[in-house]
């Protein structure tokens, strides 16, 4: 029976294998380490025939009768057990490390050894009569449970077949490694990739974001393939899914705003000074005087003001941004103005300054769903300074902003139109009684009417792009043909830009001119030539 349970190791003779020297005795202390003492491995007959033993060896031989070493070795799987049925009763057992194994007794001759943690430890049994016991010492190795790995591969393999059947246009492979679940393969698009990962993650919920939770899932541990079949060890999901196609999106945005305004004002101001009586009117508040009448004695003056004005403004911005699928890109074109802030109370106040931006601002997040189908979350904002809305010297802002999420094909245009604003204001100021008389009303009344119209249009076009090859880069970039004018073109003809193809540089022209005068023949071929200036890989672009 024992031959089927243990792997027995031969230990040779049953006699004492050697005399262990435990060390020299030190005053006031116990024995020293056994590693520092000599060990004799002679059989008893050879030991008797050897030279006379030292006093220490004689003492150890008198005190140590037998050293019991590990005689057999047994393997137990983690979370598994083996039962030992002995021929003699067991009345005592000792475990070197109780955290690795546990012993359960069923009577005096049957015990069960249970593997609690992977590792190795020693267990010793005392059998037979307590007055003359026999000892059995063994090494128990607790090994990992191969059944759990086989079950993980089996269950995740069945789950893999079901997912591939549910998503026929995608192909995945589930590989359990250590405490991880690797998801490999190729998904049809980003949406199917998110749905597959949502099925594989435990307690998966839609993640908050610009896409409303669709097409994304929160992180989490792997779900159990068959919850009723038992609990598998927790595993973290690692996604190595690939989605074919271009993953970089360029967003072409065109922002156009048109403003129109009209103002009409009519008013009368007069002065009357006769003796001690003085009457002054300032209803119109100044303005352009179109008609003025003065009396000879300077006692009365009147000013009639009539003003009309029209204005318009056009603003156009065309930012282009490139970003990876699923990421967010931001763009701002404009400026910043200082906003002072006072912090503290009383004498502990401190002033700080922050800057607020204005102009054209754009934030967008694309997600490529299916080849050329893109889910786009775009937030354009357009703001201008408003000096009439200033507080403590800090300008206000007129802002137009939109935030929307749509799905569209590559190259299609999203038009955000209908952003109209029409403001009309009128004001009338008159002197009581006199201004209410029909004939005298023009002299004692001031009135104004203003109207502002604003129309904003935003056009958005997404395109799938990839980086250009070196040969595809345009040879002529913006500003490369703009050169500096020479002295003749600037001082005589009044040009502020030079002629294309003629690289005049005022920083080196005096030196070049002096050298040309000294070495005319040598520089004749280089006159008005670009070769005199640094060109090529280390200078200007060709």
């Amino acid at each position: 029976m024992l031959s089927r349970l243990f792997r027995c190791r031969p230990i040779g003779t049953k006699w004492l294998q050697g005399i262990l020297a435990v060390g020299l005795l030190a005053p006031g202390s116990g024995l020293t380490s056994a590693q520092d003492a000599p060990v004799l491995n002679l059989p008893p007959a050879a030991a008797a025939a050897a030279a006379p033993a030292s006093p220490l060896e004689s003492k150890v031989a008198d005190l140590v009768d037998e050293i019991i070493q590990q005689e057999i070795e047994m393997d137990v799987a983690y979370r598994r057990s083996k039962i030992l049925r002995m021929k003699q009763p067991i009345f005592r057992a000792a475990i070197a490390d109780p955290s690795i194994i546990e012993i359960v007794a069923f009577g005096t001759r049957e015990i069960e050894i249970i593997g609690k943690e992977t590792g190795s430890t020693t267990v010793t049994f005392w059998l037979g009569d307590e007055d003359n016991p026999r000892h059995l010492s063994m090494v128990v190795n607790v090994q990992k449970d191969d059944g759990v790995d086989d079950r993980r591969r089996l269950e995740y393999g069945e789950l893999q077949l079901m997912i591939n059947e549910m998503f026929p246009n995608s192909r995945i492979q589930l590989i359990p490694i250590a405490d991880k679940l690797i998801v490999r393969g190729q998904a049809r698009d980003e949406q199917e990739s998110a749905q597959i990962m949502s099925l594989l993650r435990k307690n998966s919920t839609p993640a908050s974001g610009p896409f409303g939770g669709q097409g994304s899932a929160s992180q989490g541990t792997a779900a159990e393939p068959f919850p009723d079949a038992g609990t598998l060890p927790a595993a973290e999901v690692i996604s190595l899914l690939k989605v074919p196609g271009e993953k970089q999106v360029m967003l072409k945005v065109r922002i156009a705003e048109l403003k129109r305004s009209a103002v009409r004002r009519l008013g009368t101001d007069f002065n009357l000074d006769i003796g001690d009586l003085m009457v002054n009117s300032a209803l119109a508040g100044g303005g352009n005087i179109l008609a003025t009448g003065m009396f000879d004695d300077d006692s009365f003056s009147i000013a009639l003001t009539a003003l009309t004005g029209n204005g318009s403004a056009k603003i156009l911005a065309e930012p282009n941004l490139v970003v990876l699928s699923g990421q967010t890109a931001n763009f701002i074109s404009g400026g910043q103005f200082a906003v002072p802030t006072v912090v503290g109370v009383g004498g502990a106040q401190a002033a700080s300054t922050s800057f607020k931006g204005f102009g054209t601002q754009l934030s967008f997040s694309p997600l490529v769903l299916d080849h050329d189908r893109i889910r786009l979350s775009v937030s354009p904002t357009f703001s201008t300074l408003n000096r009439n809305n200033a507080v403590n010297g800090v300008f206000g802002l007129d802002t137009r902003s939109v935030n929307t999420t749509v799905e569209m094909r590559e190259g299609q245009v999203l038009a955000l139109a209908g952003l109209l604003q029409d403001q009309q204001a009128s004001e009338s100021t008159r002197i009581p009684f006199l201004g209410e008389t029909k004939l005298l009303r023009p002299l004692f009344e001031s009135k104004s009417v203003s109207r502002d119209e604003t129309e904003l249009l935003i056009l958005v076009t997404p395109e799938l792009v990839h980086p250009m090859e070196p040969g595809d880069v345009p040879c002529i970039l913006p500003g490369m043909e703009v050169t500096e004018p020479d002295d003749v073109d600037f001082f005589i003809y009044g040009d502020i830009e030079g002629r294309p193809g003629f690289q005049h540089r005022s920083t080196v022209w005096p030196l070049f001119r002096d050298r040309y005068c000294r070495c005319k023949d040598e520089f004749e071929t280089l006159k008005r030539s670009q070769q005199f200036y640094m060109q090529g890989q280390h200078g200007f672009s060709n």
Side-chain angles (χ1 to χ4, degrees), residues 265-269 282-285 427-431 441-442 444-448:
R265 182 181 293 115
L266 178 64
T268 304
D269 293 342
L283 297 179
E427 182 182 2
S428 176
T429 304
R430 66 184 65 173
I431 297 177
R441 181 179 298 173
F444 300 96
E445 181 186 28
S446 176
K447 54 188 176 180
S448 64

Side-chain angles (χ1 to χ4, degrees), residues 498-517:
R499 286 167 286 175
F502 180 73
Q503 295 288 346
H504 177 80
R505 291 170 61 189
S506 58
T507 56
V508 298
W509 169 247
L511 178 62
F512 173 68
R513 180 184 55 195
D514 296 340
R515 289 180 178 176
Y516 176 73
C517 293

Side-chain angles (χ1 to χ4, degrees), residues 14 25 32 44 61 68 90 93 102 109 111 131 226 231 237 239 246 282 336 338 371 376 385 393 411 442 450 462 478:
K14 295 183 179 179
L25 295 176
T32 59
I68 301 175
I90 302 174
E102 180 181 358
R109 296 192 178 187
I111 60 172
D131 296 333
F226 306 98
T231 303
V237 178
S239 176
E246 295 289 347
Q336 292 182 331
H371 301 294
L376 181 64
L385 293 177
S450 63

Side-chain angles (χ1 to χ4, degrees), residues 181-184 193 197 201 219 237-242:
L181 177 64
I182 310 299
V183 184
R184 294 182 56 190
S193 175
M197 298 308 300
R201 290 191 176 103
Q219 296 291 334
V237 178
I238 298 180
S239 176
L240 300 181
L241 278 180
K242 297 181 179 179

Side-chain angles (χ1 to χ4, degrees), residues 285-510:
N288 295 328
I289 299 176
L290 301 182
T292 302
M294 301 292 297
F295 289 85
D296 293 338
D297 56 0
D298 296 330
S299 61
F300 182 76
S301 63
I302 185 173
L304 176 64
T305 301
L307 175 66
T308 178
N310 293 81
S312 62
K314 181 183 72 172
I315 300 175
L316 179 64
E318 297 188 24
N320 293 337
L321 297 181
V322 179
V323 69
L324 285 175
S325 175
Q327 302 297 320
T328 302
N330 297 286
F331 169 83
I332 178 172
S333 175
Q336 292 182 331
F337 61 93
V339 180
T341 305
V342 179
V343 182
V345 179
Q349 290 183 349
S352 62
T353 303
S354 60
F355 290 86
K356 186 175 181 63
F358 67 93
T360 301
Q361 303 179 47
L362 177 64
S363 174
F364 80 101
S365 301
L367 181 65
V368 181
L369 299 179
D370 180 12
H371 301 294
D372 62 343
R373 188 162 61 95
I374 302 172
R375 177 174 295 158
L376 181 64
S377 176
V378 58
S379 302
T381 302
F382 183 77
S383 57
T384 56
L385 293 177
N386 186 351
R387 302 177 185 274
N388 298 326
N389 193 22
V391 178
N392 296 329
V394 180
F395 298 141
L397 290 177
D398 292 334
T399 304
R400 310 284 187 271
S401 63
V402 177
N403 188 356
T404 183
T405 301
V406 296
E407 287 188 8
M408 52 195 309
R409 296 287 183 182
E410 177 190 8
Q412 293 182 337
V413 180
L414 169 64
L416 303 177
L419 304 177
L420 303 176
Q421 184 177 5
D422 190 350
Q423 296 179 340
Q424 180 175 338
S426 59
E427 182 182 2
S428 176
T429 304
R430 66 184 65 173
I431 297 177
F433 302 111
L434 296 178
E436 295 175 358
T437 304
K438 187 174 182 180
L439 296 177
L440 300 178
R441 181 179 298 173
L443 299 178
F444 300 96
E445 181 186 28
S446 176
K447 54 188 176 180
S448 64
V449 176
S450 63
R451 183 167 183 171
D452 295 325
E453 297 178 355
T454 303
E455 181 179 2
L456 180 65
L457 175 65
I458 302 175
L459 301 178
V460 181
T461 304
E463 292 185 4
L464 297 176
V465 296
H466 62 275
M468 291 190 301
E469 299 297 332
D472 298 335
V473 179
C475 296
I476 302 299
L477 300 179
M480 290 183 60
E481 294 184 346
V482 178
T483 61
E484 181 184 4
D486 58 10
D487 294 342
V488 176
D489 292 337
F490 179 74
F491 290 107
I492 297 179
Y493 296 101
D495 296 340
I496 60 175
E497 291 186 6
R499 286 167 286 175
F502 180 73
Q503 295 288 346
H504 177 80
R505 291 170 61 189
S506 58
T507 56
V508 298
W509 169 247

Side-chain angles (χ1 to χ4, degrees), residues 3 37 51 61 75 88 103 105 119 139 141 167 206 251 281 307 314 341 374 393-394 399 410 438 471 473 531:
S3 63
D75 298 332
Q88 295 184 9
I103 295 178
V139 177
N141 298 318
F167 300 96
L251 190 68
S281 171
L307 175 66
K314 181 183 72 172
T341 305
I374 302 172
V394 180
T399 304
E410 177 190 8
K438 187 174 182 180
V473 179
Q531 298 178 5

